[in-house]
Amino acid sequence: MKNRLLFLGPPGAGKGTQASLLCKTKGLLHLSTGDLLRAEVSAGTPLGKEAAAIMNSGELVSDEIVLSIVEKRLSDRSPGWLLDGFPRTVFQAQALEPLLQKLKQPIEVVVLIDLKDEVLIQRLLARGRADDNEEVIRHRLRVYREKTEPLVQHYDEKGLIKTVMGDGEIDDVASRIEKVIS
Ligand code: ADP
C-alpha cells in the first residue's frame, strides 16, 4: 500500500472525511491545511487573524502562509502522510517538490475525488461552516476550477492521478479509495 498520498478535489467532495478515516486506519499523518488554518483562527494567532477574512470570503490564503504551515510539519520521521487541501495552486505544488526531494519522500499517488457541482453545493450548504453560505460556496468552486484544477493535469503528466467518484455512502467512497491506493 502506498503511504505518501495527496487528495485532490473540489470543496465538498469529501476529502476531509475520507482523509481522516484513512489516516486513522493506516496510521498516516493527516496534513489538512484547512484544519490547520482553522486551528490558527480559533487560537486567535496573528496568522489566524490574517487568514480568517480571506477564508470566509472563499479566496485562497497566501501561498507564503500555507507553505510556512506545511513546512513545519513535514519531516522524515513520519511513516507516511496524506496531504489534504494542499497543494491548492500550481505554485504550491512547485514549492512542495524541493521539500519532498530533500526528505527523499516523493508523492506516491494523487487521489482525485470528483463530484458534480450541484451535489457539492447541496453538501456544503448542509454542512453550514462559517465559509459555507451559497455565495461563498459558488465562489470557492470557481476558485477551485481556476486555481486548483490545473493540478490534475500537473500530476497526470507525472502518472500519479487516480480518480474516484465521491458520490454515495462514506464507506463506498472509502472502498473505492482503498482500491486505487493499494
Ligand atoms: P474545503 O475542502 O471545503 O475547500 P478546506 O478546509 O480545505 O475546505 O479549506 C478552507 C479554506 O482554507 C479555503 O477556502 C482557503 O481559504 C483556505 N485554505 C486551505 N488550504 C489552503 C491552501 N493550500 N492554500 C490557500 N488557502 C487554503
Side-chain angles (χ1 to χ4, degrees):
M1 122 118 200
K2 304 198 166 58
N3 59 7
R4 289 189 302 275
L5 304 99
L6 195 162
F7 275 12
L8 208 58
K15 294 187 302 291
T17 305
Q18 295 297 333
S20 301
L21 269 174
L22 191 65
C23 286
K24 217 177 189 174
T25 51
K26 309 283 180 193
L28 305 174
L29 170 73
H30 182 189
L31 234 161
S32 158
T33 44
D35 287 351
L36 293 169
L37 286 167
R38 280 185 289 277
E40 298 276 346
V41 173
S42 36
T45 64
L47 192 153
K49 286 191 177 120
E50 198 178 329
I54 306 171
M55 292 169 76
N56 288 337
S57 76
E59 275 300 317
L60 296 183
V61 173
S62 76
D63 290 330
E64 194 193 352
I65 288 188
V66 172
L67 279 163
S68 75
I69 294 187
V70 171
E71 222 172 337
K72 270 191 277 187
R73 286 175 174 80
L74 277 177
S75 83
D76 50 11
R77 278 185 303 257
S78 159
W81 36 252
L82 194 168
L83 302 179
D84 164 17
F86 173 91
R88 231 182 182 87
T89 62
V90 172
F91 182 90
Q92 290 177 9
Q94 284 165 347
L96 175 65
E97 257 146 56
L99 293 179
L100 297 183
Q101 257 167 28
K102 208 165 96 190
L103 295 169
K104 300 195 170 58
Q105 295 189 340
I107 294 166
E108 293 177 304
V109 61
V110 177
V111 180
L112 170 64
I113 307 180
D114 215 353
L115 203 54
K116 283 193 287 199
D117 276 12
E118 307 91 85
V119 186
L120 295 171
I121 292 167
Q122 287 318 310
R123 280 193 185 179
L124 292 167
L125 282 173
R127 186 168 73 177
R129 209 171 62 192
D131 55 348
D132 284 342
N133 70 66
E134 183 148 3
E135 197 186 325
V136 174
I137 289 170
R138 289 193 186 277
H139 187 63
R140 273 162 56 205
L141 282 172
R142 278 198 299 275
V143 170
Y144 172 78
R145 301 283 175 218
E146 193 181 312
K147 299 197 169 147
T148 308
E149 211 165 36
L151 287 178
V152 176
Q153 199 194 330
H154 176 87
Y155 287 116
D156 204 26
E157 281 164 7
K158 300 176 189 286
L160 290 174
I161 291 274
K162 300 278 185 196
T163 305
V164 303
M165 284 312 290
D167 59 335
E169 300 294 322
I170 290 177
D171 288 352
D172 297 333
V173 182
S175 41
R176 287 175 207 147
I177 294 174
E178 285 269 356
K179 276 197 196 113
V180 301
I181 66 168
S182 58

